[in-house]
Amino acid sequence: MPTRKTSQALNILIGGEAGQGLVTIGELLSRSLVRSGYSIVVTQDYQSRIRGGHNTFAVRVSAGEIYAPQESVDLLIALNQETVRLHRDEVSPQGLMAADQEFDVPENRCLAVPYKDLSLPRYSNVAALGIAGFLLGLEEDLIARLLDDLFGKKDPNLAEQNRKVLSSAFRWSAGQKTSFQKLPKVSNPPKRLMLNANDAIALGALSAGVRFCAFYPMTPSTSISLSLAASAEKMGLIVEQAEDEIAAVNMAIGASFAGAPSMTATSGGGFALMVEGVSLAAMTETPVVIVVGQRPGPATGLPTRTEQADLEFVLHAGHGEFPKAIFAPANVEDGFYLTRKAFELAERYQGPVFILTDQFLSDSYRAVAPFDIGNLPQVHAGADPVSVNEPYKRYALTETGISPRLLPGRSRHLVMVDSDEHTEEGHITEDLSIRTRMVQKRQNKLNGLRGEVTPPVCEGDDRPDLLLVSWGSTMGSVLEAASKLREEMRRVATLHFSQVWPMAPDQFIGYLQEAREVVCVEGNATGQLARLIRRETGFEIKRKILRYDGLPITPEWILRELNRAS
């Protein structure tokens, strides 16, 4: 089995209050790093408030491939005193802190910055960007061009002021003596995109031909719909902010019924309101893609933090029995390609398909190669009226369970649908023999979905002493933890699920049985994937590493928990 190797990396942590502009400089720094040829993994930690509260923007960077965030800090950019207090002990022995000279800071490994001399207070974040850029060895001109891109169109004078502050920060930094090691230069930087998973999901939907999106804003899913809205006029789609999530899902179902490939995006609390719509899509056999961005619950919980606790909720959402598919992207690339597949399956199997992501992945920028869309199949809504048997029956009983779906008003055929149990023609019925056949017809589609499951990926040693099982956004941390363990000469493999339903046990049961020990790594309190695997295969994963404090799982967390459990 293939094994991925991880590279040496630096971890930069920018900390401050909401409203101090740390996200702006964090994104600019990240974009500068990507354009300079580096790989990044961004982790954003923010409180649920508009202004104030301690926030961080962490950028792990490397000239090679990296997959996960890191706990220890190599460069701490402190925009306020609280950042110093909270994160000074996280700075590595070779690391450095850059903080305002007016802060109470440790004497060692600290660069005291005279922000008042470098800029007006409103530009302090750009001065911090310049200091970080110099310390990392980035080109001033590259960062200046990004400032122009951001501010130039809005206000050329503002862009000029920012460039002056950037230059002041570079000049001041060049006069300081530090032992901080700059990043190694990358020759011939590849052209890559800087995207997070929400960006990729929006692009995947656009490439699949989405024509309608309805949503009600809810962290961490909102940026998916906003990205689609930004492209709506150019790409010919409609994005509607509904009055609530109930309206949003039903609008999406209605648009899909009329022939527009449709989606909605929400989080756990919003999805709770959408559940009746899920059943409606299943009974009317209407395609719809639903993105659920997980965050800690129940209720409002921790609305801006991360978790993986909605797997069972989404799996069982909707009353009655009907087939569905659930994807859980592991990274940005998965976000794009699995969204495309979600639209394909929703149209082919005529029902709800889910994308289950989380706050960590939604906000985590990565450097990714441009997507190859040349050979991807087109998603087409509805069947060709010429191909249907007459008289047309919307819910014709077939061996596959899939009936020809004509779009209303697009042919001479009458299209009848009903949320009650219905006949093949779509008329309401209480004939119980028909009821039985309709249930079987809908369930038959599950066989087809099982035949198209994206298989879990197994990497590492054959017949390992330790097999780490994961799903969704935890893959990167599991891969890096496994890599560390192999450096200790342990036989380790990983098994990762990017589709969590339906399952095809033949694809992975052998890996579980061959490993001496299996440990499941999940971002929830009860081990939901481990429980699902046991239900579907009978194989019990006895050891679990679970995190549910609102923070993403890191390689260090996994290694500590493994040592604690052994």
Side-chain angles (χ1 to χ4, degrees):
M1 290 180 278
T3 300
R4 297 190 217 188
K5 292 184 178 179
T6 56
S7 304
Q8 294 295 317
L10 287 178
N11 193 32
I12 307 143
L13 184 71
I14 306 168
E17 288 186 8
Q20 282 193 292
L22 80 164
V23 173
T24 299
I25 63 169
E27 291 183 356
L28 285 168
L29 180 63
S30 301
R31 201 169 299 281
S32 302
L33 292 164
V34 172
R35 290 195 181 181
S36 300
Y38 300 102
S39 297
I40 61 168
V41 174
V42 168
T43 307
Q44 298 191 56
D45 185 272
Y46 47 97
Q47 298 186 8
S48 179
R49 58 182 73 177
I50 301 300
R51 188 171 180 84
H54 180 65
N55 295 353
T56 63
F57 191 105
V59 189
R60 190 178 182 218
V61 55
S62 173
E65 292 301 317
I66 50 175
Y67 308 105
Q70 176 182 310
E71 294 179 3
S72 64
V73 176
D74 299 297
L75 177 59
L76 176 61
I77 305 295
L79 299 182
N80 65 357
Q81 181 67 57
E82 189 177 19
T83 299
V84 177
R85 180 177 64 81
L86 291 174
H87 299 287
R88 57 189 294 177
D89 294 338
E90 298 170 13
V91 179
S92 64
Q94 295 77 34
L96 179 70
M97 177 192 302
D100 195 313
Q101 64 181 7
E102 296 185 0
F103 294 167
D104 179 15
V105 295
E107 295 181 357
N108 297 327
R109 295 182 292 114
C110 182
L111 190 61
V113 182
Y115 278 109
K116 283 185 178 179
D117 298 336
L118 296 177
S119 70
L120 296 172
R122 64 180 298 197
Y123 300 116
S124 293
N125 63 335
V126 176
L129 172 64
I131 291 163
F134 178 85
L135 291 171
L136 294 168
L138 299 177
E139 295 179 7
E140 180 184 336
D141 287 346
L142 187 152
I143 303 176
R145 287 196 296 273
L146 290 172
L147 286 170
D148 282 344
D149 291 343
L150 182 62
F151 298 112
K153 294 180 181 177
K154 302 175 186 174
D155 185 344
N157 183 56
L158 181 61
E160 176 64 22
Q161 292 300 317
N162 278 295
R163 284 198 302 272
K164 288 181 178 178
V165 172
L166 183 73
S167 293
S168 296
F170 261 78
R171 286 196 302 274
W172 178 84
S173 301
Q176 309 306 307
K177 291 183 178 179
T178 75
S179 58
F180 191 78
Q181 294 295 311
K182 297 182 187 306
L183 291 166
K185 293 291 183 185
V186 176
S187 58
N188 300 317
K191 289 185 177 180
R192 291 188 289 185
L193 307 172
M194 191 184 94
L195 300 173
N196 60 36
N198 279 6
D199 295 331
I201 288 170
L203 289 173
L206 287 171
S207 74
V210 64
R211 287 293 175 266
F212 183 83
C213 173
F215 75 108
Y216 186 78
M218 195 167 190
T219 304
S221 65
T222 306
S223 63
I224 298 172
S225 302
L226 296 182
S227 294
L228 291 174
S231 302
E233 184 173 349
K234 185 176 182 180
M235 299 300 294
L237 72 149
I238 293 174
V239 179
E240 176 74 13
Q241 180 174 330
E243 65 267 34
D244 57 34
E245 288 87 351
I246 299 172
V249 70
N250 285 311
M251 284 181 178
I253 293 168
S256 180
F257 171 69
S262 299
M263 69 178 294
T264 185
T266 186
S267 183
F271 183 64
L273 297 174
M274 292 184 175
V275 169
E276 188 170 359
V278 173
S279 295
L280 176 64
M283 182 55 116
T284 59
E285 301 190 42
T286 306
V288 65
V289 174
I290 301 175
V291 182
V292 180
Q294 297 170 100
R295 65 190 208 188
T300 308
L302 294 171
T304 59
R305 306 303 171 94
T306 198
E307 203 162 80
Q308 290 184 300
D310 290 337
L311 191 161
E312 290 180 332
F313 176 33
V314 172
L315 176 60
H316 299 293
H319 49 290
E321 298 170 303
F322 56 89
K324 63 179 71 164
I326 307 174
F327 295 102
N331 49 36
V332 170
E333 290 88 345
D334 265 5
F336 178 84
Y337 290 107
L338 292 180
T339 299
R340 277 198 60 93
K341 188 169 182 180
F343 273 89
E344 293 167 19
L345 293 186
E347 290 292 339
R348 193 177 312 147
Y349 292 94
Q350 303 173 22
V353 176
F354 299 88
I355 300 168
L356 194 53
T357 181
D358 56 47
Q359 180 269 332
F360 162 60
L361 193 59
S362 295
D363 292 335
S364 184
Y365 288 103
R366 315 286 173 95
V368 296
F371 301 119
D372 180 7
I373 60 174
N375 297 316
L376 295 176
Q378 293 293 310
V379 177
H380 298 288
D384 181 356
V386 177
S387 67
V388 303
N389 295 325
E390 296 190 38
Y392 174 61
K393 298 178 180 179
R394 170 64 187 94
Y395 300 111
L397 295 168
T398 66
E399 289 187 5
T400 63
I402 300 172
S403 310
R405 186 173 83 96
L406 292 186
L407 304 179
R410 305 283 184 91
S411 69
R412 62 187 179 82
H413 298 289
L414 178 64
V415 180
M416 293 285 294
V417 298
D418 203 304
S419 65
D420 286 63
E421 192 56 274
H422 39 250
T423 64
E424 289 183 273
E425 293 78 11
H427 296 292
I428 185 173
T429 184
E430 293 200 28
D431 183 327
L432 302 188
S433 66
I434 292 179
R435 156 68 181 177
T436 301
R437 297 172 71 188
M438 280 294 163
V439 170
Q440 291 170 346
K441 166 191 139 52
R442 292 189 288 269
Q443 287 299 103
N444 283 345
K445 290 194 285 188
L446 186 58
N447 296 328
L449 285 169
R450 279 206 173 93
E452 302 200 41
V453 166
T454 299
V457 176
C458 192
E459 298 185 31
D461 297 308
D462 294 328
R463 298 182 180 279
D465 293 331
L466 174 64
L467 176 66
L468 296 173
V469 179
S470 62
W471 64 282
S473 68
T474 56
M475 183 183 78
S477 293
V478 168
L479 286 175
E480 293 211 6
S483 179
K484 293 286 185 185
L485 291 169
R486 281 189 211 99
E487 292 174 4
E488 301 171 3
M489 308 306 293
R490 294 189 62 180
R491 292 183 60 80
V492 182
T494 61
L495 180 65
H496 183 82
F497 290 77
S498 288
Q499 181 170 359
V500 289
W501 188 259
M503 284 188 164
D506 290 346
Q507 294 178 338
F508 61 88
I509 187 64
Y511 298 123
L512 299 174
Q513 293 171 336
E514 289 176 357
R516 178 173 294 180
E517 181 180 28
V518 180
V519 177
C520 198
V521 181
E522 301 188 53
N524 58 61
T526 58
Q528 296 188 19
L529 178 67
R531 196 156 50 236
L532 183 58
I533 289 173
R534 183 180 184 183
R535 192 188 84 176
E536 293 299 304
T537 68
F539 187 95
E540 182 179 7
I541 301 177
K542 296 180 180 177
R543 291 183 60 184
K544 306 174 190 69
I545 292 177
L546 308 172
R547 186 166 197 175
Y548 41 91
D549 59 0
L551 298 176
I553 291 175
T554 62
E556 296 97 319
W557 174 279
I558 296 170
L559 295 173
R560 281 198 302 271
E561 292 298 305
L562 279 172
N563 289 332
R564 185 174 296 140
S566 61

